[in-house]
Amino acid sequence: MKRQLRALAAAGLLLASSLVAVAFGGTASADTLICEQYGSTVIQGRYVVQNNRWGTTAQQCINATSNGFEITTLNGSSPTNGAPTAYPSVFLGCHYTNCSPGTNLPMQVSQISSATSSISYRYVGGATYNASYDIWLDPSPKRDGVNQMEIMIWLNRQGPIQPIGSVVGTTNLAGRTWEVWRGSNGSNNVISYVASSAISSLNFSVLDFINDTRNRGAITNSWYLTSIQAGFEPWQGGVGLAVTSFSANVNGGGQPPTTPPPGGARCAVKYTANSWNNGFTADVLISNTGSSAINGWTLNYSLPGGQQVTNAWNATVSQSGSSVTARNISHNGSIAPGGTASFGYQGTLSGAYSSPTNFSLNGASCSRS
């Protein structure tokens, strides 16, 4: 404790006006200063406020209030073409074994009847950051470690920063139009919804964003919602940024849909290949045979044994074992009714060649054309 008191004195923090403590967990009965790298405290008896400094060794402190938190010290900075310094935030659910009191998360998406949240931010000038609302999902009811799917809602973007991946289109949710980005940071997949201008407060359905992500083929109803979080990703500066209020509620009692989701549009796939002794190329044509547009697509199928994708064009193609996942890039993410999108790739071949036969687009089976 003496070491911590010296650090507070060196930082020049005035604590005389209120009872303030350096928090390593516990419940905040008054404003609580958190300077430990992953320090946290509980507010309102049901939410966790966390410092979550992971991208810098420099000191960062936040002040947890009864309704949220404020960044009070931020000495680190990061290049704008890389990751931020931290994600100080307030959350409901479970994050790296730290679960909010009495939470009903993780909860399977199919069992969620409603998920709502309200958030208010205070912004500052002269800093590079985003105000981000994170929704985490995983195929298992995971309470520890990195989840496989991160949904990010960017309510404010300041400075030359951008989400992970590339733009795949736009969508209308929560009464607003969002630019949609899709990619992977190497540890988990990310879909980001970016506001065109700063939003200081929002009252919305979290489930709407989850359903849109599902309709893009990124998750299924069998996945689990593990946490919902609101905070900031600072790159440079940011003292004074604050979440001034936060609330979230997830209710069970939902049922799996009895019909395919809207994103699972009807489709047909034409697969044309050319093979030689130890290699092959394939051209894939996706046709939208449904009555509504496809906004963002993921095509899944399995390659026969002995085939391995080496490079691709007009899509992001990944392979795990025999399973192949092809995702649109920025210019071909939308397919109008009756329209098409195409991509291709080259691969290595061992043994006799044969073409895949079963394809699914955004979770719905496609016919062969």
Side-chain angles (χ1 to χ4, degrees):
M1 180 58 72
K2 289 181 180 179
R3 213 169 35 230
Q4 291 136 19
L5 291 175
R6 284 199 300 269
L8 291 177
L13 298 172
L14 182 62
L15 308 180
S17 61
S18 61
L19 176 61
V20 184
V22 176
F24 299 91
T27 300
S29 57
D31 287 4
T32 303
L33 190 69
I34 308 173
C35 294
E36 190 202 10
Q37 181 176 8
Y38 299 115
S40 67
T41 192
V42 173
I43 64 172
Q44 299 182 31
R46 65 188 311 261
Y47 306 122
V48 175
V49 171
Q50 60 176 354
N51 199 22
N52 199 14
R53 173 178 56 82
W54 53 269
T56 178
T57 58
Q59 186 186 49
Q60 172 182 287
C61 297
I62 63 173
N63 187 45
T65 66
S66 58
N67 295 313
F69 69 91
E70 176 184 359
I71 299 176
T72 59
T73 304
L74 208 163
N75 294 327
S77 65
S78 295
T80 56
N81 62 349
T85 62
Y87 183 55
S89 53
V90 53
F91 71 86
L92 175 77
C94 294
H95 178 85
Y96 283 82
T97 72
N98 190 2
C99 293
S100 57
T103 183
N104 56 359
L105 301 181
M107 182 183 292
Q108 200 163 38
V109 171
S110 64
Q111 296 303 308
I112 299 174
S113 60
S114 66
T116 57
S117 187
S118 179
I119 179 75
S120 295
Y121 289 97
R122 185 176 71 235
Y123 300 133
V124 299
T128 300
Y129 65 90
N130 72 47
S132 176
Y133 193 104
D134 273 20
I135 305 167
W136 287 95
L137 301 109
D138 196 79
S140 64
K142 196 168 187 178
R143 293 175 172 83
D144 185 21
V146 178
N147 288 188
Q148 290 190 25
M149 186 71 229
E150 179 184 13
I151 301 172
M152 299 187 73
I153 307 173
W154 286 41
L155 291 95
N156 190 4
R157 171 171 50 170
Q158 296 296 316
I161 55 174
Q162 67 179 41
I164 291 167
S166 58
V167 178
V168 296
T170 60
T171 191
N172 293 308
L173 295 168
R176 300 172 182 270
T177 299
W178 307 84
E179 187 177 65
V180 184
W181 292 63
R182 189 165 184 169
S184 173
N185 61 20
S187 298
N188 55 269
N189 295 321
V190 186
I191 291 182
S192 302
Y193 299 84
V194 182
S196 58
S197 59
I199 300 171
S200 59
S201 63
L202 191 66
N203 190 345
F204 67 104
S205 169
V206 175
L207 191 57
D208 286 351
F209 288 86
I210 294 173
N211 287 341
D212 187 79
T213 297
R214 180 202 63 198
N215 294 345
R216 295 174 187 276
I219 65 167
T220 69
N221 282 311
S222 65
W223 283 46
Y224 290 81
L225 172 63
T226 63
S227 70
I228 46 182
Q229 313 182 3
F232 299 95
E233 289 186 329
W235 272 261
Q236 297 168 7
V239 170
L241 291 170
V243 171
T244 57
S245 69
F246 173 81
S247 66
N249 289 283
V250 180
N251 298 307
Q255 296 295 328
T258 56
T259 59
R266 294 182 179 180
C267 54
V269 173
K270 182 178 181 181
Y271 191 94
T272 305
N274 178 37
S275 65
W276 56 93
N277 288 341
N278 58 357
F280 71 100
T281 59
D283 293 306
V284 185
L285 181 70
I286 303 169
S287 298
N288 181 358
T289 59
S291 58
S292 59
I294 298 171
N295 294 309
W297 51 264
T298 300
L299 186 70
N300 296 102
Y301 54 96
S302 295
L303 284 178
Q307 298 182 24
Q308 181 68 46
V309 175
T310 55
N311 61 81
W313 51 92
N314 290 332
T316 301
V317 180
S318 59
Q319 182 174 352
S320 177
S322 63
S323 299
V324 173
T325 299
R327 294 188 174 93
N328 67 274
I329 55 178
S330 58
H331 70 77
N332 64 358
S334 296
I335 311 176
T340 62
S342 63
F343 69 94
Y345 55 87
Q346 184 175 0
T348 58
L349 174 64
S350 175
Y353 176 82
S354 60
S355 294
T357 56
N358 297 315
F359 299 87
S360 65
L361 188 73
N362 291 355
S365 296
C366 297
S367 61
R368 290 291 302 275
S369 62

